[in-house]
Amino acid sequence: MSAGSLLRALVRRPVLALALAIIAGVFACALLAPLLAPYAPDDQIFDGLSLDGAPLPPSAQFLLGTDTLGRDLLSRLIYGARTSLLIGLVANGTAVMIGLAVGVIAGYFSGLLGGVLMRFTDLMTAFPALLLAIVLAALLKPSLWIVAMVIAMVNWVQVARIGYTETRSLSERDFILAERAMGAGNLRILARHILPHLVPTAIVWGTLGIATTVLLEATLSFLGIGVQPPQPSWGNIVFESQSYFQSAPWLVFFPGLAILATALSFNLIGDALRDLIDPTQRGRD
């Protein structure tokens, strides 16, 4: 199925069309943040606080209100989309590449090498991903790229197991055996026959994994070991404002809504792509 056919199939469903619109909006905010944001994300606006120093609620001047330092919340959310989406794409893209590399090598060559790689994958699976990410983030100096690499290091295992299973199945097909009988080398078989069959898997897991990555980044930032202020991310915006939840709920509600909408949209699109690309997997979890 071509990219155009996939897009048309997604747009025909109202819920998926809304999810695509949300994702497009997040990408627009990330790419055009300087043009869309009313203020710079770190500008402490003189009239952004009330007389008693409290943040201002949503108004005509500040559409989503201001935070505890008098900064425009809408501007910080727009710039935060850039941070959260960049980490989501980089971390998940890296995780998919690592997972596929491990799975393909283990599945194709099997033997001692495959056994060692898959036992290591099983070992990584045994650790709770969030706990492992917290430990790694705490040991390393938190920054945008460190957080992305930490998330990639804990998210590759599921892709590796799927890549291993599919590669093992493909390696036993008749056309692969015929290629070997004709003298084709391992690199030729991997490049021309194994990897192209794994592209749909990479697309589906690349989409589904972004939702998990965005949530994990938000969790790490909320715990204070993710992206560090003053660089805005949706997670650290919630972290900075958690003590004002009762007096200024918009400071937590709007970034929380952005995280929820983005993660849900990527999940919906990923599930739909899985059904469209491989209908035999429909309904399987």
Side-chain angles (χ1 to χ4, degrees):
M1 184 177 288
S2 66
S5 300
L6 282 175
L7 184 60
R8 286 192 295 271
L10 293 175
V11 172
R12 289 194 193 102
R13 309 180 190 180
V15 174
L16 296 180
L18 177 60
L20 282 173
I22 291 173
I23 292 173
V26 173
F27 270 95
C29 288
L31 295 174
L32 304 175
L35 299 177
L36 297 177
Y39 305 93
D42 299 324
D43 279 356
Q44 295 178 267
I45 306 162
F46 180 74
D47 56 352
L49 295 171
S50 62
L51 295 177
D52 60 357
L56 295 177
S59 63
Q61 182 179 3
F62 305 108
L63 295 180
L64 299 184
T66 62
D67 67 5
T68 57
L69 297 178
R71 298 172 296 189
D72 180 53
L73 182 59
L74 175 59
S75 300
R76 290 185 63 76
L77 286 180
I78 291 174
Y79 276 90
R82 171 179 291 183
T83 302
S84 297
L85 193 59
L86 180 61
I87 289 179
L89 293 174
V90 171
N92 194 56
T94 304
V96 169
M97 288 190 291
I98 294 174
L100 283 180
V102 172
V104 168
I105 293 173
Y108 184 77
F109 293 101
S110 62
L112 177 62
L113 177 60
V116 170
L117 288 175
M118 292 315 296
R119 297 300 73 76
F120 177 69
T121 302
D122 293 338
L123 179 64
M124 292 293 294
T125 306
F127 286 98
L130 178 58
L131 181 60
L132 183 59
I134 290 174
V135 171
L136 291 174
L139 292 175
L140 302 171
K141 184 179 180 181
S143 68
L144 188 148
W145 299 111
I146 291 296
V147 171
M149 291 303 102
V150 166
I151 294 174
M153 289 169 64
V154 301
N155 273 356
W156 61 269
V157 290
Q158 290 182 327
V159 182
R161 296 187 68 85
I162 293 174
Y164 171 79
T165 302
E166 293 196 11
T167 302
R168 288 290 296 164
S169 175
L170 288 169
S171 298
E172 298 172 359
R173 298 280 184 88
D174 290 340
F175 67 92
I176 297 293
L177 299 177
E179 282 283 324
R180 286 175 178 162
M182 294 171 60
N186 291 328
L187 288 179
R188 175 183 172 88
I189 293 174
L190 287 171
R192 297 196 60 178
H193 299 289
I194 302 294
L195 293 178
H197 281 83
L198 296 177
V199 169
T201 299
I203 293 174
V204 171
W205 279 95
T207 306
L208 285 171
I210 292 176
T212 303
T213 303
V214 168
L215 290 172
L216 188 52
E217 181 277 324
T219 302
L220 294 175
S221 296
F222 175 75
L223 295 174
I225 52 176
V227 178
Q228 298 298 295
Q231 184 172 10
S233 80
W234 293 336
N236 68 27
I237 292 174
V238 176
F239 172 72
E240 292 173 341
S241 309
Q242 58 182 319
S243 58
Y244 289 81
F245 177 71
Q246 291 184 331
S247 60
W250 62 88
L251 296 179
V252 176
F253 174 77
F254 288 120
L257 181 62
I259 295 169
L260 174 64
T262 303
L264 181 59
S265 297
F266 275 111
N267 267 328
L268 289 172
I269 297 300
D271 283 337
L273 286 175
R274 179 178 58 185
D275 293 343
L276 291 170
I277 292 175
D278 187 2
T280 63
Q281 298 297 316
R282 187 173 299 161
R284 297 183 184 179
D285 292 319

PDB file of all heavy atoms in Angstrom, residues 158-181:
ATOM      1  N   GLN A 158      11.582  -4.381  22.798  1.00  0.00           N
ATOM      2  CA  GLN A 158      10.394  -4.927  22.146  1.00  0.00           C
ATOM      3  C   GLN A 158      10.590  -5.033  20.640  1.00  0.00           C
ATOM      4  O   GLN A 158      10.183  -6.028  20.017  1.00  0.00           O
ATOM      5  CB  GLN A 158       9.178  -4.069  22.466  1.00  0.00           C
ATOM      6  CG  GLN A 158       8.717  -4.173  23.910  1.00  0.00           C
ATOM      7  CD  GLN A 158       7.482  -3.335  24.173  1.00  0.00           C
ATOM      8  OE1 GLN A 158       7.301  -2.278  23.578  1.00  0.00           O
ATOM      9  NE2 GLN A 158       6.624  -3.808  25.053  1.00  0.00           N
ATOM     10  N   VAL A 159      11.220  -4.020  20.059  1.00  0.00           N
ATOM     11  CA  VAL A 159      11.487  -4.055  18.616  1.00  0.00           C
ATOM     12  C   VAL A 159      12.445  -5.199  18.298  1.00  0.00           C
ATOM     13  O   VAL A 159      12.312  -5.879  17.273  1.00  0.00           O
ATOM     14  CB  VAL A 159      12.065  -2.710  18.141  1.00  0.00           C
ATOM     15  CG1 VAL A 159      12.306  -2.725  16.636  1.00  0.00           C
ATOM     16  CG2 VAL A 159      11.119  -1.574  18.501  1.00  0.00           C
ATOM     17  N   ALA A 160      13.428  -5.430  19.170  1.00  0.00           N
ATOM     18  CA  ALA A 160      14.389  -6.509  18.946  1.00  0.00           C
ATOM     19  C   ALA A 160      13.707  -7.870  18.929  1.00  0.00           C
ATOM     20  O   ALA A 160      14.008  -8.720  18.082  1.00  0.00           O
ATOM     21  CB  ALA A 160      15.471  -6.472  20.024  1.00  0.00           C
ATOM     22  N   ARG A 161      12.787  -8.096  19.838  1.00  0.00           N
ATOM     23  CA  ARG A 161      12.108  -9.387  19.893  1.00  0.00           C
ATOM     24  C   ARG A 161      11.242  -9.604  18.652  1.00  0.00           C
ATOM     25  O   ARG A 161      11.187 -10.710  18.102  1.00  0.00           O
ATOM     26  CB  ARG A 161      11.264  -9.478  21.166  1.00  0.00           C
ATOM     27  CG  ARG A 161      12.095  -9.448  22.434  1.00  0.00           C
ATOM     28  CD  ARG A 161      11.250  -9.698  23.658  1.00  0.00           C
ATOM     29  NE  ARG A 161      10.749 -11.072  23.671  1.00  0.00           N
ATOM     30  CZ  ARG A 161      11.435 -12.109  24.147  1.00  0.00           C
ATOM     31  NH1 ARG A 161      12.647 -11.926  24.640  1.00  0.00           N
ATOM     32  NH2 ARG A 161      10.914 -13.313  24.137  1.00  0.00           N
ATOM     33  N   ILE A 162      10.548  -8.553  18.210  1.00  0.00           N
ATOM     34  CA  ILE A 162       9.723  -8.673  17.004  1.00  0.00           C
ATOM     35  C   ILE A 162      10.606  -8.875  15.771  1.00  0.00           C
ATOM     36  O   ILE A 162      10.313  -9.710  14.906  1.00  0.00           O
ATOM     37  CB  ILE A 162       8.825  -7.432  16.847  1.00  0.00           C
ATOM     38  CG1 ILE A 162       7.784  -7.402  17.971  1.00  0.00           C
ATOM     39  CG2 ILE A 162       8.140  -7.427  15.495  1.00  0.00           C
ATOM     40  CD1 ILE A 162       6.960  -6.164  18.000  1.00  0.00           C
ATOM     41  N   GLY A 163      11.704  -8.108  15.687  1.00  0.00           N
ATOM     42  CA  GLY A 163      12.623  -8.267  14.564  1.00  0.00           C
ATOM     43  C   GLY A 163      13.234  -9.656  14.525  1.00  0.00           C
ATOM     44  O   GLY A 163      13.400 -10.243  13.447  1.00  0.00           O
ATOM     45  N   TYR A 164      13.536 -10.213  15.691  1.00  0.00           N
ATOM     46  CA  TYR A 164      14.097 -11.567  15.771  1.00  0.00           C
ATOM     47  C   TYR A 164      13.087 -12.604  15.256  1.00  0.00           C
ATOM     48  O   TYR A 164      13.432 -13.463  14.439  1.00  0.00           O
ATOM     49  CB  TYR A 164      14.470 -11.877  17.222  1.00  0.00           C
ATOM     50  CG  TYR A 164      14.868 -13.319  17.471  1.00  0.00           C
ATOM     51  CD1 TYR A 164      16.144 -13.763  17.124  1.00  0.00           C
ATOM     52  CD2 TYR A 164      13.975 -14.218  18.042  1.00  0.00           C
ATOM     53  CE1 TYR A 164      16.511 -15.087  17.339  1.00  0.00           C
ATOM     54  CE2 TYR A 164      14.335 -15.538  18.255  1.00  0.00           C
ATOM     55  CZ  TYR A 164      15.606 -15.972  17.912  1.00  0.00           C
ATOM     56  OH  TYR A 164      15.973 -17.272  18.121  1.00  0.00           O
ATOM     57  N   THR A 165      11.849 -12.500  15.718  1.00  0.00           N
ATOM     58  CA  THR A 165      10.826 -13.465  15.313  1.00  0.00           C
ATOM     59  C   THR A 165      10.584 -13.413  13.806  1.00  0.00           C
ATOM     60  O   THR A 165      10.524 -14.460  13.128  1.00  0.00           O
ATOM     61  CB  THR A 165       9.513 -13.192  16.063  1.00  0.00           C
ATOM     62  OG1 THR A 165       9.743 -13.262  17.466  1.00  0.00           O
ATOM     63  CG2 THR A 165       8.445 -14.198  15.679  1.00  0.00           C
ATOM     64  N   GLU A 166      10.456 -12.205  13.259  1.00  0.00           N
ATOM     65  CA  GLU A 166      10.181 -12.082  11.822  1.00  0.00           C
ATOM     66  C   GLU A 166      11.381 -12.527  10.987  1.00  0.00           C
ATOM     67  O   GLU A 166      11.211 -13.147   9.925  1.00  0.00           O
ATOM     68  CB  GLU A 166       9.786 -10.641  11.493  1.00  0.00           C
ATOM     69  CG  GLU A 166       8.457 -10.216  12.101  1.00  0.00           C
ATOM     70  CD  GLU A 166       7.902  -8.969  11.459  1.00  0.00           C
ATOM     71  OE1 GLU A 166       8.435  -8.554  10.415  1.00  0.00           O
ATOM     72  OE2 GLU A 166       6.928  -8.410  12.006  1.00  0.00           O
ATOM     73  N   THR A 167      12.585 -12.220  11.450  1.00  0.00           N
ATOM     74  CA  THR A 167      13.775 -12.617  10.700  1.00  0.00           C
ATOM     75  C   THR A 167      13.941 -14.130  10.686  1.00  0.00           C
ATOM     76  O   THR A 167      14.289 -14.728   9.663  1.00  0.00           O
ATOM     77  CB  THR A 167      15.029 -11.958  11.300  1.00  0.00           C
ATOM     78  OG1 THR A 167      14.868 -10.533  11.287  1.00  0.00           O
ATOM     79  CG2 THR A 167      16.275 -12.321  10.503  1.00  0.00           C
ATOM     80  N   ARG A 168      13.695 -14.764  11.825  1.00  0.00           N
ATOM     81  CA  ARG A 168      13.773 -16.228  11.882  1.00  0.00           C
ATOM     82  C   ARG A 168      12.777 -16.863  10.912  1.00  0.00           C
ATOM     83  O   ARG A 168      13.087 -17.829  10.218  1.00  0.00           O
ATOM     84  CB  ARG A 168      13.482 -16.716  13.305  1.00  0.00           C
ATOM     85  CG  ARG A 168      14.586 -16.435  14.299  1.00  0.00           C
ATOM     86  CD  ARG A 168      15.803 -17.272  14.057  1.00  0.00           C
ATOM     87  NE  ARG A 168      15.516 -18.696  14.248  1.00  0.00           N
ATOM     88  CZ  ARG A 168      16.296 -19.675  13.827  1.00  0.00           C
ATOM     89  NH1 ARG A 168      17.399 -19.374  13.142  1.00  0.00           N
ATOM     90  NH2 ARG A 168      15.991 -20.929  14.064  1.00  0.00           N
ATOM     91  N   SER A 169      11.570 -16.291  10.854  1.00  0.00           N
ATOM     92  CA  SER A 169      10.554 -16.819   9.942  1.00  0.00           C
ATOM     93  C   SER A 169      10.960 -16.619   8.486  1.00  0.00           C
ATOM     94  O   SER A 169      10.840 -17.534   7.657  1.00  0.00           O
ATOM     95  CB  SER A 169       9.209 -16.143  10.219  1.00  0.00           C
ATOM     96  OG  SER A 169       8.228 -16.538   9.287  1.00  0.00           O
ATOM     97  N   LEU A 170      11.467 -15.422   8.166  1.00  0.00           N
ATOM     98  CA  LEU A 170      11.861 -15.142   6.789  1.00  0.00           C
ATOM     99  C   LEU A 170      13.054 -15.993   6.360  1.00  0.00           C
ATOM    100  O   LEU A 170      13.133 -16.426   5.197  1.00  0.00           O
ATOM    101  CB  LEU A 170      12.221 -13.659   6.642  1.00  0.00           C
ATOM    102  CG  LEU A 170      11.055 -12.664   6.683  1.00  0.00           C
ATOM    103  CD1 LEU A 170      11.575 -11.252   6.803  1.00  0.00           C
ATOM    104  CD2 LEU A 170      10.202 -12.804   5.433  1.00  0.00           C
ATOM    105  N   SER A 171      13.973 -16.250   7.281  1.00  0.00           N
ATOM    106  CA  SER A 171      15.190 -16.989   6.935  1.00  0.00           C
ATOM    107  C   SER A 171      14.900 -18.411   6.495  1.00  0.00           C
ATOM    108  O   SER A 171      15.724 -19.035   5.814  1.00  0.00           O
ATOM    109  CB  SER A 171      16.153 -17.007   8.135  1.00  0.00           C
ATOM    110  OG  SER A 171      16.546 -15.700   8.487  1.00  0.00           O
ATOM    111  N   GLU A 172      13.749 -18.927   6.864  1.00  0.00           N
ATOM    112  CA  GLU A 172      13.397 -20.306   6.518  1.00  0.00           C
ATOM    113  C   GLU A 172      12.490 -20.384   5.295  1.00  0.00           C
ATOM    114  O   GLU A 172      12.048 -21.480   4.926  1.00  0.00           O
ATOM    115  CB  GLU A 172      12.735 -20.976   7.717  1.00  0.00           C
ATOM    116  CG  GLU A 172      13.655 -21.073   8.930  1.00  0.00           C
ATOM    117  CD  GLU A 172      12.941 -21.565  10.169  1.00  0.00           C
ATOM    118  OE1 GLU A 172      11.702 -21.809  10.073  1.00  0.00           O
ATOM    119  OE2 GLU A 172      13.582 -21.697  11.227  1.00  0.00           O
ATOM    120  N   ARG A 173      12.189 -19.240   4.675  1.00  0.00           N
ATOM    121  CA  ARG A 173      11.344 -19.252   3.483  1.00  0.00           C
ATOM    122  C   ARG A 173      12.100 -19.827   2.280  1.00  0.00           C
ATOM    123  O   ARG A 173      13.326 -19.757   2.197  1.00  0.00           O
ATOM    124  CB  ARG A 173      10.875 -17.825   3.158  1.00  0.00           C
ATOM    125  CG  ARG A 173      10.022 -17.182   4.249  1.00  0.00           C
ATOM    126  CD  ARG A 173       8.600 -17.646   4.204  1.00  0.00           C
ATOM    127  NE  ARG A 173       7.779 -16.962   5.183  1.00  0.00           N
ATOM    128  CZ  ARG A 173       7.159 -15.816   4.957  1.00  0.00           C
ATOM    129  NH1 ARG A 173       7.276 -15.209   3.787  1.00  0.00           N
ATOM    130  NH2 ARG A 173       6.415 -15.263   5.908  1.00  0.00           N
ATOM    131  N   ASP A 174      11.337 -20.320   1.334  1.00  0.00           N
ATOM    132  CA  ASP A 174      11.942 -20.957   0.163  1.00  0.00           C
ATOM    133  C   ASP A 174      12.775 -19.983  -0.665  1.00  0.00           C
ATOM    134  O   ASP A 174      13.830 -20.364  -1.200  1.00  0.00           O
ATOM    135  CB  ASP A 174      10.845 -21.568  -0.721  1.00  0.00           C
ATOM    136  CG  ASP A 174      10.183 -22.782  -0.061  1.00  0.00           C
ATOM    137  OD1 ASP A 174      10.803 -23.357   0.858  1.00  0.00           O
ATOM    138  OD2 ASP A 174       9.056 -23.131  -0.458  1.00  0.00           O
ATOM    139  N   PHE A 175      12.321 -18.741  -0.799  1.00  0.00           N
ATOM    140  CA  PHE A 175      13.068 -17.820  -1.664  1.00  0.00           C
ATOM    141  C   PHE A 175      14.420 -17.459  -1.046  1.00  0.00           C
ATOM    142  O   PHE A 175      15.389 -17.179  -1.763  1.00  0.00           O
ATOM    143  CB  PHE A 175      12.247 -16.562  -1.970  1.00  0.00           C
ATOM    144  CG  PHE A 175      11.975 -15.668  -0.795  1.00  0.00           C
ATOM    145  CD1 PHE A 175      12.828 -14.621  -0.481  1.00  0.00           C
ATOM    146  CD2 PHE A 175      10.841 -15.860  -0.013  1.00  0.00           C
ATOM    147  CE1 PHE A 175      12.566 -13.788   0.587  1.00  0.00           C
ATOM    148  CE2 PHE A 175      10.568 -15.033   1.056  1.00  0.00           C
ATOM    149  CZ  PHE A 175      11.442 -13.994   1.363  1.00  0.00           C
ATOM    150  N   ILE A 176      14.519 -17.486   0.284  1.00  0.00           N
ATOM    151  CA  ILE A 176      15.806 -17.245   0.933  1.00  0.00           C
ATOM    152  C   ILE A 176      16.730 -18.444   0.715  1.00  0.00           C
ATOM    153  O   ILE A 176      17.922 -18.306   0.406  1.00  0.00           O
ATOM    154  CB  ILE A 176      15.625 -16.979   2.439  1.00  0.00           C
ATOM    155  CG1 ILE A 176      14.787 -15.710   2.649  1.00  0.00           C
ATOM    156  CG2 ILE A 176      16.978 -16.843   3.122  1.00  0.00           C
ATOM    157  CD1 ILE A 176      15.457 -14.445   2.201  1.00  0.00           C
ATOM    158  N   LEU A 177      16.172 -19.649   0.868  1.00  0.00           N
ATOM    159  CA  LEU A 177      16.958 -20.857   0.630  1.00  0.00           C
ATOM    160  C   LEU A 177      17.440 -20.923  -0.818  1.00  0.00           C
ATOM    161  O   LEU A 177      18.571 -21.359  -1.092  1.00  0.00           O
ATOM    162  CB  LEU A 177      16.129 -22.099   0.970  1.00  0.00           C
ATOM    163  CG  LEU A 177      15.661 -22.217   2.430  1.00  0.00           C
ATOM    164  CD1 LEU A 177      14.787 -23.458   2.607  1.00  0.00           C
ATOM    165  CD2 LEU A 177      16.863 -22.271   3.367  1.00  0.00           C
ATOM    166  N   ALA A 178      16.580 -20.472  -1.744  1.00  0.00           N
ATOM    167  CA  ALA A 178      16.976 -20.462  -3.153  1.00  0.00           C
ATOM    168  C   ALA A 178      18.117 -19.482  -3.400  1.00  0.00           C
ATOM    169  O   ALA A 178      19.052 -19.764  -4.160  1.00  0.00           O
ATOM    170  CB  ALA A 178      15.771 -20.112  -4.029  1.00  0.00           C
ATOM    171  N   GLU A 179      18.052 -18.314  -2.765  1.00  0.00           N
ATOM    172  CA  GLU A 179      19.122 -17.320  -2.899  1.00  0.00           C
ATOM    173  C   GLU A 179      20.444 -17.888  -2.393  1.00  0.00           C
ATOM    174  O   GLU A 179      21.502 -17.698  -3.004  1.00  0.00           O
ATOM    175  CB  GLU A 179      18.753 -16.058  -2.112  1.00  0.00           C
ATOM    176  CG  GLU A 179      17.756 -15.155  -2.814  1.00  0.00           C
ATOM    177  CD  GLU A 179      18.408 -14.354  -3.919  1.00  0.00           C
ATOM    178  OE1 GLU A 179      19.566 -13.936  -3.772  1.00  0.00           O
ATOM    179  OE2 GLU A 179      17.756 -14.155  -4.966  1.00  0.00           O
ATOM    180  N   ARG A 180      20.395 -18.574  -1.267  1.00  0.00           N
ATOM    181  CA  ARG A 180      21.619 -19.170  -0.726  1.00  0.00           C
ATOM    182  C   ARG A 180      22.166 -20.238  -1.674  1.00  0.00           C
ATOM    183  O   ARG A 180      23.377 -20.349  -1.877  1.00  0.00           O
ATOM    184  CB  ARG A 180      21.328 -19.786   0.640  1.00  0.00           C
ATOM    185  CG  ARG A 180      21.144 -18.761   1.748  1.00  0.00           C
ATOM    186  CD  ARG A 180      20.747 -19.430   3.034  1.00  0.00           C
ATOM    187  NE  ARG A 180      20.620 -18.475   4.124  1.00  0.00           N
ATOM    188  CZ  ARG A 180      19.972 -18.704   5.246  1.00  0.00           C
ATOM    189  NH1 ARG A 180      19.369 -19.876   5.425  1.00  0.00           N
ATOM    190  NH2 ARG A 180      19.905 -17.789   6.187  1.00  0.00           N
ATOM    191  N   ALA A 181      21.263 -21.047  -2.243  1.00  0.00           N
ATOM    192  CA  ALA A 181      21.700 -22.091  -3.168  1.00  0.00           C
ATOM    193  C   ALA A 181      22.353 -21.509  -4.413  1.00  0.00           C
ATOM    194  O   ALA A 181      23.241 -22.130  -5.016  1.00  0.00           O
ATOM    195  CB  ALA A 181      20.512 -22.965  -3.562  1.00  0.00           C
TER     196      ALA A 181
END
